[in-house]
Amino acid sequence: MLEKIAQNIAESASGVIDCEVLVTDSKGIIIGCSDTRRLGDLHEPSVGVMKKGVPAATSMEDAASMTKVKPGYTLPIQMLDKTVGSISIAGLPEDVARYGLLVQKQAEIMLREEAYLQSSFLRERALSSIVDNIASFSGESGGRESILLQASEAGFNLDRCRLAIVVETRELRAGGGQAIFQTMERELRAVFASSRNIICPQERYKFTIFFAPSWRSGDTPEDAASVLSQDFVRNMQAKGIDINMSIGPAGSSLTELADSLRAARAAMRIGSLLGVHGVIQARDYYAEMMVDSLPRGRRFGLIGKILGPMSMRGCSSELCDTFLAWCDAPFASGEVAEKLSLHRNSLQYRLKKIRQLTGLDPWNFKDAFQLWTAFVLTKLDSGGKPQ
């Protein structure tokens, strides 16, 4: 690990104290130096310093008796109580020794930071692999023990997880993606603070959470997850960041956890296309998932047959949104009209227009189901914006 950052350590330390600085590995070979011509040379004073574990000065006389060595002050570099290398400052020892502790601590801090970054990177890769394996898991395919072992080696217990939550930003400000992602991660770890929960950063500024609820009387896992998700969305909105969260159905096995993850992902995609924002419960979108599973060729044909002349004229976004809103509360016309900022008469006019154009009666259950299917498929196939 020291080899990766040795040159950076030498150059940054040299820039601070304006002296030549070199870094060696545990064998005394120079692996970083502000004078790159010395790379690969043996630095004899470092061998003794690392063996004894204490700093040492190299006088002009000492340097003259060695090969390719300059006078200076050498200190060991330690990590986890183990000497992993050395750092040396060239110059008269009485002049440069005062910089010794500074460059030593700078080197050790940079080494710890590199170790932390490498550990975080490996951890994120492991978590991403766990998510991918769970997403593709089914009880029939086998591999359950392998996934549980993989999670256990990363320090997690999947047996306690009951459902999956998918987290996405609705939009990212130009150039601020990484900062927003870090803010999201900090806030997620604060809201979903239980060590039982598994928070997995994903590509494209997304997260997957495997939620392990702390059981309380009367709470379902979906309800507990919804409360925390609402808190997170509000906290992020207060920071000017719009978030969507999709909560999969709860289960008690790895197979059901995999189903929860797939359902949460499907609900996130469908909810986004239908213009749903905030917290999305996958259980509210099973019907949409069912029609979304139709083959693409069948979908186009079905839309044409159901909408008939209306599809020839173009499926108005206004009529589509009106009908889908009305389906949410068909016996509360006043509520629907208020939601759409319409007069009740305007709502009734639009519903009658749909009946006139399609020949299907919105007040008849079977006709309404056909219209709902066609309108939902139209929005899903056109990115949420019927033409």
Side-chain angles (χ1 to χ4, degrees):
M1 187 183 302
L2 182 59
E3 286 79 359
K4 291 176 60 178
I5 61 171
Q7 188 62 29
N8 189 20
I9 290 174
E11 291 177 356
S12 60
S14 177
V16 170
I17 64 175
D18 197 26
C19 296
E20 183 181 320
V21 176
L22 64 82
V23 177
T24 78
D25 63 14
S26 59
K27 297 178 180 179
I29 302 300
I30 299 174
I31 55 176
C33 186
S34 51
D35 180 1
T36 56
R37 293 172 297 181
R38 301 185 68 186
L39 292 174
D41 292 344
L42 174 67
H43 188 251
E44 292 184 52
S46 292
V47 177
V49 163
M50 289 185 290
K51 186 175 181 179
K52 296 178 181 178
V54 295
T58 303
S59 66
M60 294 282 289
E61 293 78 11
D62 292 335
S65 66
M66 301 178 190
T67 304
K68 296 183 179 180
V69 172
K70 298 179 181 181
Y73 192 71
T74 305
L75 305 96
I77 299 175
Q78 295 184 323
M79 185 176 179
L80 300 177
D81 297 326
K82 180 181 179 181
T83 300
V84 295
S86 70
I87 188 164
S88 184
I89 313 166
L92 295 176
E94 57 269 26
D95 293 335
V96 300
R98 64 180 185 272
Y99 299 127
L101 187 60
L102 171 66
V103 295
Q104 180 192 44
K105 294 306 178 186
Q106 181 181 3
E108 292 175 349
I109 289 172
M110 292 178 70
L111 189 59
R112 285 196 296 269
E113 287 178 347
E114 178 64 21
Y116 174 77
L117 289 174
Q118 184 171 329
S119 173
S120 298
F121 174 71
L122 293 175
R123 183 180 177 85
E124 287 189 13
R125 284 188 60 184
L127 286 172
S128 181
S129 177
I130 291 170
V131 173
D132 291 341
N133 289 337
I134 292 175
S136 60
F137 175 76
S138 67
E140 295 79 12
S141 63
R144 175 181 180 278
E145 297 304 323
S146 175
I147 294 175
L148 294 178
L149 178 61
Q150 182 186 19
S152 177
E153 289 176 346
F156 301 112
N157 184 354
L158 282 174
D159 284 330
R160 299 186 298 193
C161 298
R162 293 292 174 263
L163 57 81
I165 305 172
V166 176
V167 187
E168 295 184 3
T169 54
R170 293 218 292 271
E171 58 182 63
L172 291 172
R173 293 189 292 270
Q178 191 60 38
I180 291 175
F181 189 64
Q182 291 171 355
T183 301
M184 288 172 61
E185 183 168 8
R186 285 195 301 270
E187 195 66 34
L188 277 175
R189 297 194 184 282
V191 174
F192 292 85
S194 171
S195 60
R196 297 159 58 95
N197 298 322
I198 305 176
I199 299 174
C200 310
Q202 305 273 263
E203 293 180 352
R204 300 180 183 178
Y205 308 113
K206 300 177 183 179
F207 290 88
T208 296
I209 302 171
F210 294 116
F211 182 61
S214 300
W215 295 105
R216 293 183 300 176
S217 177
D219 278 352
T220 66
E222 291 98 329
D223 291 338
S226 180
V227 170
L228 295 178
S229 297
Q230 295 284 2
D231 288 344
F232 174 73
V233 169
R234 281 193 296 268
N235 292 350
M236 296 304 292
Q237 286 176 339
K239 294 176 169 59
I241 302 172
D242 292 325
I243 296 293
N244 283 345
M245 300 184 73
S246 178
I247 302 172
S252 57
S253 68
L254 184 60
T255 299
E256 290 173 320
L257 185 64
D259 290 339
S260 180
L261 175 57
R262 290 188 287 266
R265 287 179 171 180
M268 174 68 79
R269 186 181 66 83
I270 289 171
S272 298
L273 291 173
L274 296 180
V276 181
H277 301 309
V279 178
I280 301 168
Q281 288 280 4
R283 65 190 178 195
D284 296 334
Y285 292 90
Y286 288 151
E288 287 85 350
M289 292 182 202
M290 180 178 64
V291 300
D292 189 43
S293 65
L294 290 170
R296 184 159 296 275
R298 294 281 302 278
R299 294 154 78 120
F300 292 143
L302 193 62
I303 292 170
K305 289 177 181 178
I306 293 174
L307 296 183
M310 187 177 183
S311 63
M312 299 298 292
R313 299 185 183 195
C315 180
S316 161
S317 177
E318 181 181 88
L319 294 181
C320 178
D321 290 340
T322 298
F323 182 78
L324 293 178
W326 183 76
C327 284
D328 289 337
F331 300 106
S333 297
E335 178 184 325
V336 176
E338 182 178 353
K339 179 181 178 180
L340 296 172
S341 301
L342 290 175
H343 190 277
R344 279 191 179 192
N345 291 343
S346 298
L347 173 62
Q348 295 300 318
Y349 169 78
R350 291 185 183 180
L351 293 174
K352 290 176 181 178
K353 186 174 182 181
I354 291 172
R355 180 171 60 184
Q356 176 187 355
L357 291 172
T358 64
L360 296 173
D361 185 356
W363 290 271
N364 176 279
F365 176 77
K366 290 186 69 174
D367 287 356
F369 179 71
Q370 292 183 63
L371 287 168
W372 176 88
T373 300
F375 280 129
V376 167
L377 286 175
T378 299
K379 293 202 75 169
L380 296 179
D381 289 343
S382 58
K385 297 178 181 180
Q387 299 300 314

